[in-house]
Amino acid sequence: MMKRGLSTLDTECTPVSLFQDRQERLRQVARDRGLDAVFVYGDVSGGGDIAFLTHTTLYWGHGILVIPAEGPTVLVMTLSPRTHDWFRETGVLGEMISGPQLGPLLRQLSIDRDYAAVGIVEQSDFPASMLEAVSDGREVLLVDLGSPVRELRSRPDEAALADVRQTARLGARGLEAALAAAQSADMGRVRADSEYAMRTGGAWDATTVITRSTDNAVAIQLRCQLRDSWYGAERFLRGGNDANPAEAQSLYQEMLRQLRPGTTEAKLLDSVLAFAEARGLSKGMLVDIVLETAPDVEARLVFPETDQGFAEGSVVHAALWGWDLDGYPTTAMGDTFLLSKAGYVRLSNV
Amino acid sequence: MSIHAPTDSALLPTRSNTPPPEEFTWRVNRLIRAMAEEDLDELLMYGWPWRPDNVRYLTGAPTIGTSLVRLRSDGSVAALVSSETDRAAILRGGWVSDVTRVRSFTGHHLQGLFDGVRPGSKIGITHLEILPLGLRGLIDEALSAPRLVSATRLADLIRLQKSSWERDRIMHGARVAQDGWNAMLDSLVPGVREFEVVAAVEREIKRAGAEDNFMLIAFGTTEVRAMHAPEARRLRRGDLVRTELTPQVDGYYTQICRTAVLGNPSPAQSRAYEIFQEALEAGISAVRPGTTSHDLAKAQNDVLRRNGLGEYCTPQHTRVRGHGLGMHPDEAPGIQEGDETEIPEGATLVIHPNTFTPTAGYIVVGDPVIVTASGSERLTKADLILPSRTAVTA
């Protein structure tokens, strides 16, 4: 629902020029394609693209980042003007415009600046009514730019990779705390201690989700965010010990054997299911694979480009889940990996 | 998957927290009546990570991905979800058994969801205003000449009036919020960093059984004009500490707003707090069935205006004088002058006259209430005296 961790701009750690350079790359896209501006939509749950470009977290609510071909970046948002000082302190932004409805704000901005051609990042995921507002009664060319920010984010550069590793360290802190607390039967404590460990380490956000099985085991799903970097991990525990059945562990190992550049979620699932069928495994268990670059992106996309595969250098979260027919978990194993030429490097050792 | 994935609410150890079947019947019957009043043939609840609340209202299950849930006028419900975790959660909830999970929505999948929809049907969709272009295109493709209208307001008004089961969740949430505030007071020592305070509060709230928490803060003195996110700033003696604490218990958010001072309050801080207390009491006193959102805001603003703070009741400095509470932390109606939404018995609200003052900076104080036949039941009571941390020696 909202971010609940440290949000501060440390220019020693992340220089302003880093975000200016990233914004400039989109400006260049606009200029190369003859566009007046690029629009990037985000909300509190799916704001990683905007965070990548501006170091801004939409702490609650939603907004649109407007990157003109020339001139300062504008954040159009539903958060009130009272928050502008805070956004200015913690992000790399030019102007801010606030109001209760984004569509009319975006329309007025487009009229004021005489935008005739606009590039839309992930257009299929952009609110339809807002694009309609921009072009209502006006000749505005809307160009779907695909996922240029997502592509940049999924293959982190050196600076971003440092963030990824830091996020993994924070996530590992949370996982260690969760595993320690899971010795007790108090699942509230598992969540509390785990999230506390991540937040006090400086995470932008941290969540530990626990789902009970039917036989006194629990699936723990941990997420940690620092800027636009994410770490995810899953465990299945009973009394603090690994409760994943042996056959599920062999499926997970098969998934890892297939985890390499070029892989996709569908390919991984096919491999695992074929492996299971050949060995007569997983009967009565619904197996699911999750493979994602960053959960904020994947959760928002209704139409993921699943057939492309992840490139070498991508950071992915991969997990194997098992469910019984009533919807209760029977297994959960997952971690965050850097895809390398040889396969993958796991980003934490907890 | 989202970092905001709600927790399976089967965690609370001592209370029954699965919505009973009669709760589902109560909700569906009211929605069907509202559909008839709006002449809707179909109702679609659209949910995504930021706003899963309408889907949860109809399925009883927390979801984390994209979902569309169809309610037919005969009361049958079918769900299309993008996440296996969501399919599992809906099945565990036990209210809806017709659940289809697909990795990526296509027109074909939507045709399955819309099986039997007549050409030209009038279809209400919650959050049509934010519906993604791709999903909108698939709906248009799957349906023959649909008449799509927003059902956001319809769902808001239905959800405004709570069942007794829902009110019980809000009441429990108020106790958790109070626990969180107590933990916050315990954490307030000079030198502590803002995000460390937030971490301590979140820990306590999670220990108490909350699945999520919406928490705004603002630490500092007269320079503070709004709430924001936690930063690395260290607390100092004389700082006002403000928070909106909104734990979510079994899906329901309950909010309290509190202000404390690190050390002894200054005369200006004490005076400002007295005025806000008076405004809060005026707002709560005005709560009764049939009153409007406007009335509740005016009751509070009148106190502020009488004390020379009228300028700070405007959008330049503040937003609302409270709002609804439920499956979203900032539910309709936003309590503000000009909003004529009628408040029904059974509604749950937070009343908060929060705004900026030139003498003490931003002040927040607010309590949750349940609207009863004769007025309201107040679920918490903000301290009458600005709580101070007199032991500090920074």
Side-chain angles (χ1 to χ4, degrees), chain B residues 48-303:
Chain B
W48 72 107
W50 179 32
R51 293 300 303 261
D53 35 300
N54 281 317
V55 166
R56 188 167 188 171
Y57 189 76
L58 188 51
T59 64
T63 54
I64 60 173
T66 297
S67 45
L68 280 175
V69 182
R70 174 189 178 190
L71 173 63
R72 299 182 195 225
S73 54
D74 66 2
S76 61
V77 179
L80 184 67
V81 300
S82 66
S83 158
E84 189 59 44
T85 304
D86 291 349
R87 194 186 76 89
I90 291 173
L91 289 177
R92 285 197 308 275
W95 283 3
V96 178
S97 56
D98 184 355
V99 191
T100 303
R101 184 267 172 131
V102 295
R103 288 181 186 274
S104 181
F105 285 18
T106 65
H108 174 71
H109 296 128
L110 265 67
Q111 281 170 357
L113 180 69
F114 296 144
D115 182 40
V117 174
R118 286 175 286 109
S121 291
K122 187 178 177 186
I123 300 172
I125 304 183
T126 59
H127 293 298
L128 179 64
E129 302 82 359
I130 316 180
L131 198 69
L133 184 69
L135 193 50
R136 173 73 182 266
L138 291 182
I139 291 173
D140 288 341
E141 180 187 324
L143 292 169
S144 176
R147 289 180 293 151
L148 304 182
V149 297
S150 172
T152 308
R153 178 78 174 159
L154 178 152
D156 283 350
L157 292 179
I158 286 292
R159 287 170 48 190
L160 176 58
Q161 189 171 30
K162 304 294 191 291
S163 68
S164 61
W165 187 88
E166 292 179 293
R167 294 195 298 270
D168 183 51
R169 268 68 215 162
I170 297 280
M171 292 169 80
H172 184 66
R175 293 192 288 275
V176 174
Q178 193 60 48
D179 288 347
W181 173 239
N182 293 338
M184 189 162 179
L185 288 175
D186 288 343
S187 73
L188 296 178
V189 293
V192 69
R193 292 176 184 270
E194 293 180 0
F195 72 94
E196 292 168 338
V197 174
V198 171
V201 174
E202 289 279 348
R203 179 170 60 177
E204 181 56 34
I205 281 178
K206 296 294 166 60
R207 275 182 184 160
E211 60 190 88
D212 199 356
N213 178 41
F214 181 91
M215 180 177 180
L216 300 176
I217 55 149
F219 300 155
T221 57
T222 54
E223 81 283 4
V224 175
R225 305 185 79 89
M227 311 289 263
H228 57 77
E231 299 186 46
R233 178 185 180 277
R234 294 184 185 278
L235 268 62
R236 295 188 286 266
R237 189 179 177 84
D239 276 353
L240 277 188
V241 176
R242 306 97 165 158
T243 189
E244 288 188 10
L245 266 180
T246 323
Q248 185 186 28
V249 175
D250 297 344
Y252 290 85
Y253 290 93
T254 309
Q255 185 170 96
I256 64 172
C257 307
R258 296 289 185 266
T259 302
V261 63
L262 205 63
N264 294 320
S266 69
Q269 289 170 332
S270 296
R271 176 59 191 142
Y273 200 73
E274 284 170 12
I275 295 168
F276 279 74
Q277 284 283 355
E278 186 185 342
L280 173 63
E281 297 306 322
I284 290 179
S285 298
V287 176
R288 64 183 61 84
T291 193
T292 65
S293 176
H294 170 89
D295 297 333
L296 299 183
K298 184 171 182 302
Q300 297 171 75
N301 287 342
D302 281 348
V303 173

Side-chain angles (χ1 to χ4, degrees), chain A residues 213-229:
Chain A
S213 76
T214 53
D215 56 356
N216 296 320
V218 289
I220 295 179
Q221 185 183 18
L222 180 143
R223 295 289 180 275
C224 182
Q225 182 194 7
L226 176 66
R227 288 179 278 279
D228 63 300
S229 297

Side-chain angles (χ1 to χ4, degrees), chain A residues 247-310:
Chain A
E247 64 174 40
Q249 299 201 22
S250 64
L251 297 183
Y252 186 63
Q253 291 307 316
E254 174 60 15
M255 185 193 83
L256 293 181
R257 270 193 290 276
Q258 303 299 329
L259 186 61
R260 61 175 75 100
T263 196
T264 67
E265 192 174 83
K267 282 181 190 170
L268 283 185
L269 182 61
D270 288 348
S271 299
V272 166
L273 292 179
F275 181 86
E277 188 172 344
R279 288 158 182 80
L281 302 176
S282 78
K283 287 189 169 55
M285 178 171 78
L286 178 63
V287 175
D288 187 42
I289 298 284
V290 174
L291 182 67
E292 56 192 2
T293 52
D296 69 315
V297 173
E298 305 299 332
R300 201 162 53 82
L301 284 173
V302 189
F303 321 95
E305 296 163 8
T306 51
D307 55 348
Q308 268 188 319
F310 294 102

